Amino acid sequence: EDKVVQSPLSLVVHEGDTVTLNCSYEVTNFRSLLWYKQEKKAPTFLFMLTSSGIEKKSGRLSSILDKKELFSILNITATQTGDSAVYLCALNMNYGGATNKLIFGTGTLLAVQP
Amino acid sequence: KAGVTQTPRYLIKTRGQQVTLSCSPISGHRSVSWYQQTPGQGLQFLFEYFSETQRNKGNFPGRFSGRQFSNSRSEMNVSTLELGDSALYLCASSLTSGGASTDTQYFGPGTRLTVL
């Protein structure tokens, strides 16, 4: 069964800390790996990763994919209280190229304390 | 560009009733996918529509159905509601279906359905 596992399940840090969120998977046939941030309602898009070893960066956030070891990490440096959210990792599956289907991990709940 | 919109935002129904939820994708996007989010199961794929055709379906009973109109707007319907159908229903739009690997799915704010 296609599976995405995120760790840790939850994390409490203080402002200014650096955090690393992990996403591992047991799927090989996917088009891309996506990271989303979910605060109260809609997941908002952070990154899409398609190639192994190429880091994507956006401000204090960065992410990388390792297709050989089957994992991705999301790094957040100099955390702020506004980073508090659930971070979701998802794989966009490849069913012969004919569809979009995201398989989500359980998410990591990040709480940043002032 | 306006984002993905969903209506209604909140719904309260009783067991046995049916419900219809609506999703308008980002202008120009032709693929709409639906997801159910619950505390126990997380985010689970329901189905995807592209060019008015269902492309893929998740492991949900036949009480869950959907359709897409020529303007790419989509509706999903749940008949004979059960308590376990209480969830946040999210739709996501993307430009294509299974096309470019760089095609991202963008989510709407969701409809919170409570079944009493």
Side-chain angles (χ1 to χ4, degrees):
Chain A
E1 186 186 336
D2 301 327
K3 199 172 176 183
V4 179
V5 178
Q6 292 187 245
S7 63
L9 287 181
S10 64
L11 190 55
V12 180
V13 300
H14 289 96
E15 270 191 317
D17 287 349
T18 292
V19 299
T20 298
L21 310 183
N22 302 289
C23 174
S24 62
Y25 53 89
E26 295 175 8
V27 173
T28 53
N29 195 17
F30 64 96
R31 291 203 304 280
S32 56
L33 184 147
L34 298 98
W35 284 95
Y36 288 90
K37 176 184 181 182
Q38 186 174 28
E39 293 176 84
K40 290 200 174 160
K41 294 187 180 70
T44 54
F45 172 75
L46 294 174
F47 295 111
M48 173 185 278
L49 304 162
T50 55
S51 300
S52 200
I54 299 176
E55 187 183 47
K56 292 266 182 109
K57 291 191 83 167
S58 176
R60 297 176 294 103
L61 279 66
S62 64
S63 184
I64 196 161
L65 173 64
D66 186 328
K67 284 189 172 181
K68 184 180 174 187
E69 300 297 330
L70 308 185
F71 76 91
S72 173
I73 59 172
L74 175 68
N75 278 317
I76 308 175
T77 60
T79 51
Q80 302 171 356
T81 54
D83 295 328
S84 297
V86 174
Y87 289 84
L88 295 161
C89 168
L91 295 178
N92 196 359
M93 304 305 294
N94 185 0
Y95 294 129
T99 187
N100 284 318
K101 174 178 178 179
L102 295 179
I103 304 290
F104 281 88
T106 49
T108 293
L109 174 61
L110 174 65
V112 181
Q113 294 182 340
Chain B
K1 226 183 221 186
V4 180
T5 57
Q6 291 186 245
T7 56
R9 296 293 304 278
Y10 301 91
L11 263 180
I12 299 176
K13 293 284 187 179
T14 55
R15 278 179 299 175
Q17 287 187 309
Q18 75 162 16
V19 67
T20 300
L21 312 182
S22 180
C23 172
S24 292
I26 293 169
S27 177
H29 284 196
R30 296 170 62 196
S31 166
V32 174
S33 300
W34 288 90
Y35 294 84
Q36 181 195 64
Q37 187 173 31
T38 59
Q41 299 296 321
L43 267 156
Q44 292 186 290
F45 174 79
L46 279 157
F47 30 64
E48 183 210 2
Y49 285 88
F50 179 78
S51 292
E52 302 177 64
T53 301
Q54 187 180 89
R55 287 297 189 100
N56 201 358
K57 192 174 188 326
N59 294 325
F60 281 84
R63 300 184 297 105
F64 291 82
S65 63
R67 59 179 175 167
Q68 187 180 35
F69 302 94
S70 57
N71 62 358
S72 296
R73 189 178 70 86
S74 177
E75 288 181 347
M76 67 163 278
N77 185 78
V78 188
S79 62
T80 320
L81 284 166
E82 300 177 0
L83 295 179
D85 297 334
S86 294
L88 180 66
Y89 289 89
L90 292 159
C91 82
S93 84
S94 62
L95 205 55
T96 62
S97 174
S101 61
T102 53
D103 196 9
T104 301
Q105 291 192 46
Y106 297 93
F107 283 85
T111 295
R112 172 73 63 186
L113 172 64
T114 301
V115 182
L116 302 176

